[in-house]
Amino acid sequence: MHEAIKVSNVSKVFSRGYLRKSHKLVLSGIDLKITEGDRLVIVGESGMGKTTLARIMADLEWPTEGQVLWFGQDIGRMSKKEKRLLRGSVQYVHQDPYSSLHPAKTIFNIVADPLRYAHGLKSKDLRKRVKELMEMVGLTPAEYFFNKYPHHLSGGGRQRLAIARALTTEPRVIIADEPISMIDMSLRASIIKLFKDLNDQYNIAVVLVLHDIGAAKYFTYEKGEVAILYGGKIVEKGEGTKVLDNPLHPYTRVLINSSPVADPELARNRQVEQLRSYAVPIRTPDSKGCPFAHACNYYIEKCLERDPQLVPVEQNHEIACHVFCNRDGVI
Amino acid sequence: MNSLIKVENLRAVYLVREGTIKAADGISFDVQENSVTAIVGESASGKSTIIEAMTRTLPPNGRLLEGKVLYKGKDLLALKKEEFRRIKWKEIALVPQAAQQSLNPTMKIIDHFKDTIEAHRINWNHDQLIQKASEKLEMVRLNPDAVLYSYPMQLSGGMKQRVLIALALLLDPEVLILDEPTSALDVLTQAYIVQLLKELKKKLNITLIFVTHDIAIAAELADKVAVIYAGNIVEYNSVFRIFKNPLHPYTKGLLGSIMAINADMSKIKPIPGAPPSLLTPPSGCRFHPRCEHAMDICKKEKPPLITVEDGAQVACHLYSQGGRKDA
């Protein structure tokens, strides 16, 4: 299997203030890849850098350091022309379907315009393709929606439309940033299901950015990988079932342990681990040590001094933690 | 146990350019003393409207059409403004939605406390106020010395939410109403707030009513759960029975579609369709276009909220006379 997107040693620093002298390290030393036709979930809370990472993967943001490879080619060294040829293969779905769709365009045109520009489709062919795409995302009967506007759709419907629009260029990878955070509760599962179907039926690689661990599990329990972000670093990654059923990093464990469960008895009897701090870590390029050390209940001296690197604990399962990285340390 | 609050046939609408949004359509439920009641529904299902109507805080375009909210025998909605003001905050306090925007960004936290006692004409001197405010802030595990003199922008989302809870507790209310206490918070902060509310409930013996879109929060906190769909209560039952033996097809569907971490992932089944617009709600039972058990009667007649076995209340023709009970 070929790698669709590979991110190697990517760091991102945002500078601001007078003379751009205040630096904030949003991502540091990220290594991540997704093979063609696979699934990947990036999990993290707000402020952990997950959206920045997704945008860097989609070439909407540029890394301060490191490389992003699309289908084996470094996009930082590509010419404009080369990039334009590949651009359609990697598509991005925005978080908020209430602001990512043009309110004054008909639903037909929202899907049709990219087809007109990118593929030069006209009249009958265009209509046929729009219909196909809308059926792919479950907006049926397609003709019923053609002359309507985005405001006629519910949040779930809008997100489906945004996905249909992303499919116009026949992408091999879709990157979706928090696709369900603005969607009604009863429709969330159906959107995740749609991404799974697109992955299964059309072999499109799907990268989802989520904060909902349950949704991440639903998306990856059959196949796919999970990467957990904390403070701009990947603290744990690996096969979805391995990471989510057997979490090893203390942060992942707290995250899973704190996720709501839909069972009143279990919810009342479980002991939720309390962290030492709930503040979002703010890191600068000079910060040292593990970003989670300030909150972790298991931290040791070393955690404040040295940044832990990702090390494998079993096949396809890596964590970055000084305490739990070797089997003996597991409490 | 006595019922402390009794809501009877509450109907409220919003006037908008396109027509009227029928956001609460005949809502009735009882709240027992010292219990925790959760009102669960999707966005735009009218769950916040219920709270706003109960506390007389409907926005300017909201209209209360009919209904009663009996609190200790008095109808809150019929009270004169001055009489209601005496009950408000001292007996019934509200933690509004969108905690992030509810605090005045130009005022320090201490001034919010000061404003509250002034609005309720309580004669505490400055020291008394500080002492009371600190006590309440400690109750929500905030450090009063740091927080009291901060501006809202210096606090994180979870801290602001806790400040609002402390503010609501300032006059020792008997009933605390919370609108979406955990929305817009991260998973860890959310778990922390839920834990905190559990402790407060135990410590203070107050009655909690809260609105949430996340039924898993209700599982953890509530004694009784009212499930709202498109402006109607479709099921009202104890939390254990709601999760073990849901009656209404919507409740069943909702529980089957939530992606909780402990759920059996292979059994998750999304509910087809989308929630209706409340401008033009479907006829009869508002859930019938999405319901797999829909019968002819569902399109014509709105099912009443009836009491079935063990005091469970459900609004569904499957459970009324002539309907199939086994479905």
Side-chain angles (χ1 to χ4, degrees):
Chain A
M1 282 297 230
H2 294 290
E3 278 158 7
I5 298 185
K6 184 176 178 183
V7 169
S8 71
N9 196 24
V10 156
S11 298
K12 176 77 188 174
V13 176
F14 283 127
S15 305
R16 52 170 215 172
Y18 185 60
L19 298 180
R20 307 258 142 200
K21 276 195 171 161
S22 154
H23 302 295
K24 197 177 157 191
L25 185 67
V26 186
L27 292 173
S28 62
I30 302 277
D31 281 309
L32 196 62
K33 64 173 196 300
I34 173 164
T35 45
E36 290 209 40
D38 203 5
R39 302 173 184 171
L40 170 69
V41 184
I42 300 168
V43 182
E45 294 176 277
S46 45
M48 298 307 175
K50 56 193 190 316
T51 295
T52 309
L53 177 56
R55 288 174 61 88
I56 286 177
M57 287 172 86
D59 193 37
L60 299 173
E61 193 92 61
W62 302 277
T64 315
E65 227 177 87
Q67 291 177 315
V68 181
L69 305 171
W70 281 0
F71 313 103
Q73 289 168 268
D74 184 350
I75 54 171
R77 289 162 189 273
M78 243 178 238
S79 68
K80 263 192 178 165
K81 208 172 169 189
E82 284 174 315
K83 201 185 266 177
R84 194 183 313 149
L85 288 174
L86 273 183
R87 188 66 93 171
S89 305
V90 179
Q91 283 294 309
Y92 190 82
V93 177
H94 296 271
Q95 175 168 13
D96 181 0
Y98 291 89
S99 56
S100 68
L101 298 168
H102 197 307
K105 264 191 193 178
T106 60
I107 289 173
F108 179 81
N109 279 333
I110 287 175
V111 183
D113 277 352
L115 291 171
R116 288 190 185 111
Y117 299 132
H119 300 288
L121 288 185
K122 275 191 193 124
S123 60
K124 259 191 187 161
D125 293 340
L126 181 69
R127 231 181 136 75
K128 196 172 141 241
R129 183 72 185 137
V130 172
K131 187 164 179 259
E132 255 173 42
L133 287 168
M134 285 177 63
E135 278 162 4
M136 264 168 91
V137 298
L139 283 173
T140 48
E143 281 93 348
Y144 171 80
F145 293 105
F146 276 2
N147 292 318
K148 293 200 175 332
Y149 290 88
H151 71 257
H152 289 112
L153 298 174
S154 67
R158 281 161 177 260
Q159 198 60 282
R160 284 171 191 272
L161 182 61
I163 296 165
R165 183 179 58 183
L167 290 171
T168 50
T169 56
E170 291 162 32
R172 284 142 79 190
V173 187
I174 289 187
I175 301 170
D177 182 17
E178 294 273 14
I180 56 168
S181 69
M182 308 288 290
I183 309 279
D184 280 327
M185 219 53 195
S186 71
L187 301 177
R188 289 188 174 179
S190 65
I191 297 291
I192 300 285
K193 180 85 172 39
L194 172 62
F195 281 114
K196 283 166 58 153
D197 291 345
L198 290 176
N199 174 263
D200 282 339
Q201 288 168 19
Y202 305 99
N203 205 32
I204 300 170
V206 180
V207 182
L208 296 188
V209 172
L210 297 171
H211 68 266
D212 181 344
I213 281 256
K217 194 170 172 185
Y218 179 52
F219 186 64
T220 58
Y221 78 95
E222 289 146 329
K223 66 169 189 183
E225 301 210 338
V226 173
I228 315 273
L229 271 187
Y230 187 87
K233 280 182 63 88
I234 293 175
V235 294
E236 182 158 3
K237 74 171 176 184
E239 220 167 273
T241 43
K242 280 183 183 160
V243 173
L244 298 178
D245 290 340
N246 180 26
L248 292 172
H249 194 281
Y251 175 66
T252 320
R253 292 211 298 216
V254 170
L255 202 59
I256 289 177
N257 183 243
S258 311
S259 292
V261 289
D263 180 341
E265 274 166 48
L266 194 64
R268 273 147 225 255
N269 294 331
R270 69 180 175 155
Q271 200 61 45
V272 174
E273 190 182 332
Q274 302 282 331
L275 289 179
R276 296 191 298 126
S277 157
Y278 288 87
V280 175
I282 293 169
R283 313 230 309 151
T284 64
D286 308 322
S287 300
K288 55 181 185 175
C290 172
F292 190 56
H294 74 110
C296 185
N297 289 318
Y298 306 97
Y299 81 107
I300 49 175
E301 203 76 347
K302 200 172 163 192
C303 302
L304 304 172
E305 295 298 321
R306 277 198 9 231
D307 211 356
Q309 299 301 313
L310 275 173
V311 287
V313 278
E314 55 184 320
Q315 203 192 353
N316 243 332
H317 189 178
E318 293 169 65
I319 70 166
C321 178
H322 290 309
V323 184
F324 292 92
C325 61
N326 52 354
R327 277 280 168 190
D328 315 331
V330 176
I331 298 167
Chain B
M1 278 210 281
N2 302 325
S3 60
L4 183 68
I5 296 181
K6 209 176 162 95
V7 178
E8 284 176 11
N9 196 28
L10 196 68
R11 285 180 62 219
V13 297
Y14 293 109
L15 307 177
V16 290
R17 206 175 39 188
E18 293 87 355
T20 52
I21 296 176
K22 296 141 199 95
D25 191 33
I27 300 284
S28 307
F29 64 98
D30 284 2
V31 176
Q32 308 287 321
E33 211 171 332
N34 290 340
S35 69
V36 184
T37 306
I39 299 173
V40 178
E42 295 175 65
S43 50
S45 63
K47 55 192 191 312
S48 295
T49 310
I50 298 170
I51 297 250
E52 285 167 0
M54 279 168 74
T55 52
R56 294 172 54 166
T57 50
L58 279 172
N61 68 340
R63 295 285 181 281
L64 187 74
L65 298 183
E66 59 175 311
K68 281 182 185 167
V69 178
L70 298 171
Y71 169 73
K72 293 185 175 169
K74 284 174 283 188
D75 183 1
L76 292 181
L77 304 180
L79 285 180
K80 290 210 181 81
K81 253 191 176 167
E82 181 56 29
E83 287 171 311
F84 183 64
R85 201 179 56 76
R86 272 185 212 143
I87 292 181
K88 204 157 75 177
W89 226 262
K90 289 180 199 164
E91 297 187 36
I92 301 177
L94 173 73
V95 179
Q97 196 176 6
Q100 324 298 332
Q101 286 98 46
S102 293
L103 296 167
N104 185 338
T106 64
M107 277 162 64
K108 288 182 178 170
I109 301 301
I110 176 83
D111 297 327
H112 287 88
F113 282 95
K114 208 183 254 167
D115 248 20
T116 309
I117 61 160
E118 274 167 12
H120 293 277
R121 307 200 186 137
I122 290 168
N123 296 319
W124 287 344
N125 62 32
H126 191 71
D127 292 342
Q128 271 173 314
L129 172 68
I130 300 270
Q131 188 219 326
K132 280 276 185 186
S134 310
E135 186 188 306
K136 303 300 176 199
L137 284 172
E138 269 164 20
M139 226 174 243
V140 294
R141 292 199 230 141
L142 287 172
N143 174 8
D145 300 331
V147 171
L148 270 180
Y149 300 97
S150 310
Y151 284 97
M153 61 150 199
Q154 292 169 297
L155 307 177
S156 69
M159 286 165 92
K160 278 186 228 172
Q161 182 71 60
R162 282 185 277 158
V163 165
L164 279 170
I165 296 173
L167 204 54
L169 292 173
L170 185 64
L171 305 182
D172 300 308
E174 289 173 41
V175 182
L176 186 61
I177 300 178
L178 305 112
D179 197 353
E180 294 272 13
T182 59
S183 69
L185 296 178
D186 278 319
V187 185
L188 297 181
T189 325
Q190 184 175 311
Y192 189 79
I193 298 278
V194 169
Q195 200 69 28
L196 191 76
L197 287 172
K198 262 197 224 169
E199 276 171 30
L200 286 177
K201 164 77 190 53
K202 241 188 224 161
K203 217 188 288 174
L204 303 175
N205 250 338
I206 52 176
T207 308
L208 288 181
I209 302 173
F210 71 98
V211 159
T212 180
H213 65 270
D214 190 346
I215 200 166
I217 302 289
E220 193 151 356
L221 204 56
D223 299 321
K224 284 195 100 178
V225 179
V227 181
I228 310 286
Y229 183 77
N232 295 125
I233 290 188
V234 294
E235 187 165 354
Y236 187 44
N237 205 344
S238 90
V239 66
F240 292 101
R241 283 196 295 251
I242 284 258
F243 281 88
K244 284 271 142 61
N245 181 23
L247 298 173
H248 197 280
Y250 174 66
T251 320
K252 285 181 193 171
L254 191 62
L255 287 173
S257 72
I258 51 170
M259 298 170 284
I261 188 77
N262 66 326
D264 182 348
M265 293 297 159
S266 57
K267 288 204 182 115
I268 287 177
K269 203 176 127 224
I271 312 182
S277 152
L278 293 180
L279 276 169
T280 49
S283 62
C285 173
R286 288 178 175 181
F287 187 60
H288 84 258
R290 295 172 82 185
C291 182
E292 50 183 327
H293 305 294
M295 302 174 285
D296 285 341
I297 188 172
C298 302
K299 286 172 201 147
K300 291 176 208 139
E301 256 178 67
K302 187 179 154 185
L305 191 65
I306 53 162
T307 306
V308 291
E309 80 259 32
D310 304 332
Q313 289 180 300
V314 61
C316 180
H317 286 302
L318 292 175
Y319 300 91
S320 42
Q321 277 179 343
R324 296 164 299 160
K325 272 205 160 168
D326 52 338

